[in-house]
Amino acid sequence: MGATRSVELPPTPNGEQRTTEMTNLEWSLQFVKLKIQEMIFNGRKTDQCGVILFGSEETENIIHEKNGGYQHVSEYIPIAQPNSATLAKLDALQPSEYSGDPIDALIVGIETQDIYLNKKRTWTRKIVIVTDGQSPMEIEDWEATVKKMNSLEISLTIIGIDFDDDEFPFYEEDKSTIKVENEAFYHKLTSALDNGLVGTCIFALQEISRPDMKETKSALMGTVLRLGDVDVRPEEAIEILVKASKCTALARPKSWKKFCRREKTDDEMQVDEEEMTVFAQLKMRSEYYIDRSTQEGEEQDKMDTGSDDEEDKDKNLEKVEKEQLIRGFKYGSTYAPCPDGQFRRLNTRKGIDICGFFHAKNFRRELAMGEVQYIWADPGAPQQQVALSSIVQAMFEKGVLAIARWVSKDGMDPKMGVLEAHVDTNIDYLLWVQMPFADDARKYTFASLENLVSKNGESVTKHPYLPTEDQLEVMGKFIDSMDIMDSGEKDDKGKPVPWYDTRKSYNPAIHRTKQALFHSAVVNDITSNPLPPPHPELLKYINPLRQALEASKDVIAECKAVFKVKEVPKKATKVRKDGHVRAVDEDEDMLLLDKKPAALRKGKEPAASQVPVSPKPARPAKKSAASDSETEEESDQEPLLLTKRPFNALPTPERSMSPDVDPGRAPGRIIGSTYPLRDFKTNLAQGDVVTKAVEDIGVIIKEVVLRPFASRRHKEMIECMIAMRDTSLKEDEIDAWNAFLKDLKESCLREAGNSELWQEVQKLGRSLSLISEPEARKLGGHSQFSESASEAVS
């Protein structure tokens, strides 16, 4: 197991192939750890395991202690529910120079397992042997071992390193004689067992990443099914004791926990400065403040550009304890206070009350929401089973569904849902799914896509927005060409089946997250051994079917011709400062139902000098005492909307301080180009978004300094850079700062860059240079640049 092998790694983003060297033991242990991680991940108490080594230097097993023999076989990990310590012990294993008999280890495993499960006869028993097939074996009386395993119903799986596999396929060349004989014996052994299997390790590692569904048996919860009013008219009402269990359950990816470097005390710092960094889990903590400035009528929209503003803002904040606050619920635009923490609950009674019946054809499927529940009759009450069965069969024959009100416990909030009857061969039951209340369903009306009305109220039959007969026909052909109902594999009768199967359509977010979680715990270095690609089953339905693409190729060309599809060039959305407006194309008609401004309805076009710039007349901008930079916002983030702005607004020479100004945040960013420094400080104060904030402000700085007229914002961008460098140094984002600074230098020194800004950065010297290793080490970080390299940033 100490022999080294070359293992292929996922290619780099550039497509370059990579390999790494590892021992057979390290490679095969990945399978063992992944199997054990599956048990830890599921968290079932009946998932327990133990590890027995053969070929170890020590000899420690229960048979050797009683009768002797069975040398170099050791019970390394006793049978128990696995945890992180189990994986740590496996990481500590090293190849051995001793030879051990795998049959001895198998017998020890059978005996150890049988003693542990002496009082757990119903448990499933499995044994997995991981071997390279090079160990000598004593195969006498192996039939007795097979007989013992069959009597105990033990399944055996043998994972061989470089074993031949016809199904994979894989065949090893220049195989040793002892490995050939051992491999043949393993096939003979497993074929004699009731449940035995031999596989090669490379295939096992691939299959273990296959998506799998975690099927759990839901617990039966007792409740009551009622039909009629049992209190007012008990002679006309029915009560049936039933049990409820989950039919479907919502699955989500595992949540991530956040950790940070734990601060050491002065005594710990003096003991050992090179001690391994200790990380502690971050936990949410809420503190409550009242902003008194809003009560006094002060403006809150000024920029946080100086320390004086920060101090003034802090003075206005008054910390309060949670006990001093009153909980409130939002109702429209106001809050309804609730001193008791919650409003008085309804006086509800546990049970499922049937409110009425309606035909199944009238059920709107979009109203079904949430998980589905089984409703069974009480298994221990035959009379209740007959009663429920009569209701189920009556609903099934009439083709009706029932509206039901479900209360899980006395005093709990009720839920409305629908009950559907199911009649099987051996059992009758109901399915319940929740439906929304009337005020939970929102109805939105939209203009008709088929009927257009002109300004005069006349119906329009020909318009660019109305499809022609030819367009409808070719679109129908296009939809038919994408039919994949008969594009799958053929069944036993030779008939094609649908290509898409919901049972095999796995959620990539769940299974890819799980694969990444498992891989990071298996390998020692994620950089040298990165995450492998997803399993093919996970990507089965991600890419479109090749046959469907080929079948629709000709129809797509026909669609392009009929619809006159052509590439549309990108339109300039930036408002030019000299007042020019992009000309409107002749065929660019406005939708008939859109409202036009009065000037356009009368046939007038706005003059060039009347181009809008600000959404509303801007208030005089208040400059901070600590900032004298005159900045002008480049309105490239805001499209020209002629129908929603006043026509007499003049261009604003300075950035407006109105809260209605577009913050300039692109989708996916938390920092905008309008007030980048303020956004950066606000996000840092919230916590847990440091990496994203540093990344976004770096992108914003680069965008702004490379725009035209960027010199007006040089001072502001340098302030942003100073804040970014200080945060990167303190929050261990050193690599992000160094990479940003090198990229900014290259961009500024290009022909169309901004050399003036870079000269200002050079004048500031060390305060805006690369972060060096000595500087990073003071705060527990790491940098790849020396002090001299950092000083030579220019």
Side-chain angles (χ1 to χ4, degrees), residues 678-689:
R678 185 177 69 178
D679 292 349
F680 184 63
K681 292 181 178 180
T682 302
N683 283 285
L684 290 182
Q686 295 176 358
D688 294 343
V689 290

Side-chain angles (χ1 to χ4, degrees), residues 276-335:
M276 184 180 294
T277 304
V278 178
F279 286 86
Q281 182 182 347
L282 293 176
K283 296 184 179 180
M284 186 69 69
R285 184 184 66 186
S286 299
E287 293 183 350
Y288 302 92
Y289 293 84
I290 297 178
D291 192 350
R292 294 296 185 185
S293 61
T294 58
Q295 301 175 6
E296 298 171 4
E298 297 182 8
E299 295 183 358
Q300 295 297 308
D301 57 352
K302 59 183 180 180
M303 294 175 58
D304 300 332
T305 55
S307 58
D308 295 337
D309 293 341
E310 291 286 349
E311 294 178 0
D312 293 341
K313 185 176 180 180
D314 293 339
K315 292 179 181 178
N316 294 326
L317 296 179
E318 178 183 346
K319 185 177 180 180
V320 295
E321 298 299 329
K322 185 178 180 180
E323 290 74 14
Q324 298 178 256
L325 302 176
I326 296 177
R327 189 176 184 184
F329 294 87
K330 192 168 185 180
Y331 185 76
S333 59
T334 61
Y335 286 89

Side-chain angles (χ1 to χ4, degrees), residues 80-363:
Q81 192 170 3
N83 51 34
S84 58
T86 309
L87 299 177
K89 286 185 177 181
L90 292 174
D91 285 332
L93 288 176
Q94 296 294 330
S96 170
E97 297 180 357
Y98 294 87
S99 178
D101 191 336
I103 300 300
D104 287 350
L106 176 60
I107 296 173
V108 171
I110 296 171
E111 187 67 18
T112 304
Q113 187 183 71
D114 189 40
I115 293 174
Y116 183 79
L117 299 179
N118 186 30
K119 295 183 180 180
K120 301 181 178 73
R121 293 295 178 182
T122 60
W123 285 35
T124 303
R125 307 186 182 203
K126 300 178 183 178
I127 292 180
V128 180
I129 297 178
V130 181
T131 177
D132 60 356
Q134 301 286 2
S135 301
M137 293 187 293
E138 292 287 343
I139 60 176
E140 297 179 358
D141 300 329
W142 64 274
E143 293 88 351
T145 304
V146 170
K147 186 177 180 181
K148 177 75 170 178
M149 294 180 69
N150 287 335
S151 65
L152 294 174
E153 298 181 355
I154 299 176
S155 66
L156 176 64
T157 303
I158 298 175
I159 304 298
I161 297 176
D162 297 332
F163 275 23
D164 294 343
D165 193 328
D166 296 331
E167 297 182 3
F168 184 55
F170 177 83
Y171 302 98
E172 184 185 11
E173 299 178 357
D174 302 328
K175 190 176 295 185
S176 64
T177 305
I178 187 172
K179 186 170 184 178
V180 173
E181 294 179 356
N182 287 347
E183 193 172 337
F185 172 75
Y186 284 133
H187 282 279
K188 185 179 179 180
L189 175 66
T190 53
S191 61
L193 291 168
D194 295 338
N195 193 350
L197 178 67
V198 178
T200 186
C201 188
I202 186 172
F203 182 63
L205 285 172
Q206 175 181 310
E207 285 301 291
I208 204 169
S209 63
R210 175 187 290 272
D212 63 325
M213 302 298 293
K214 179 184 176 182
E215 296 184 2
T216 57
K217 189 176 294 184
S218 177
L220 295 176
M221 307 298 293
T223 185
V224 180
L225 179 67
R226 302 186 189 92
L227 179 59
D229 194 336
V230 296
D231 296 327
V232 179
R233 296 181 179 178
E235 68 280 358
E236 299 178 2
I238 300 175
E239 270 190 333
I240 303 174
L241 298 179
V242 295
K243 298 285 186 179
S245 63
K246 285 188 177 182
C247 176
T248 61
L250 179 64
R252 291 189 178 94
K254 282 290 183 180
S255 59
W256 301 100
K257 296 179 181 178
K258 297 181 180 180
F259 292 80
C260 71
R261 186 180 291 105
R262 184 174 66 85
E263 296 182 359
K264 296 182 179 180
T265 62
D266 297 337
D267 297 337
E268 292 176 335
M269 294 288 288
Q270 294 175 1
V271 172
D272 189 0
E273 295 183 356
E274 298 182 359
E275 186 182 0
M276 184 180 294
T277 304
V278 178
F279 286 86
Q281 182 182 347
L282 293 176
K283 296 184 179 180
M284 186 69 69
R285 184 184 66 186
S286 299
E287 293 183 350
Y288 302 92
Y289 293 84
I290 297 178
D291 192 350
R292 294 296 185 185
S293 61
T294 58
Q295 301 175 6
E296 298 171 4
E298 297 182 8
E299 295 183 358
Q300 295 297 308
D301 57 352
K302 59 183 180 180
M303 294 175 58
D304 300 332
T305 55
S307 58
D308 295 337
D309 293 341
E310 291 286 349
E311 294 178 0
D312 293 341
K313 185 176 180 180
D314 293 339
K315 292 179 181 178
N316 294 326
L317 296 179
E318 178 183 346
K319 185 177 180 180
V320 295
E321 298 299 329
K322 185 178 180 180
E323 290 74 14
Q324 298 178 256
L325 302 176
I326 296 177
R327 189 176 184 184
F329 294 87
K330 192 168 185 180
Y331 185 76
S333 59
T334 61
Y335 286 89
C338 183
D340 297 332
Q342 63 181 14
F343 293 105
R344 184 179 177 182
R345 289 185 176 275
L346 296 174
N347 186 19
T348 55
R349 182 171 53 175
K350 177 181 178 180
I352 304 173
D353 293 282
I354 296 178
C355 303
F357 299 91
F358 65 97
H359 287 287
K361 62 182 180 181
N362 297 330
F363 177 60

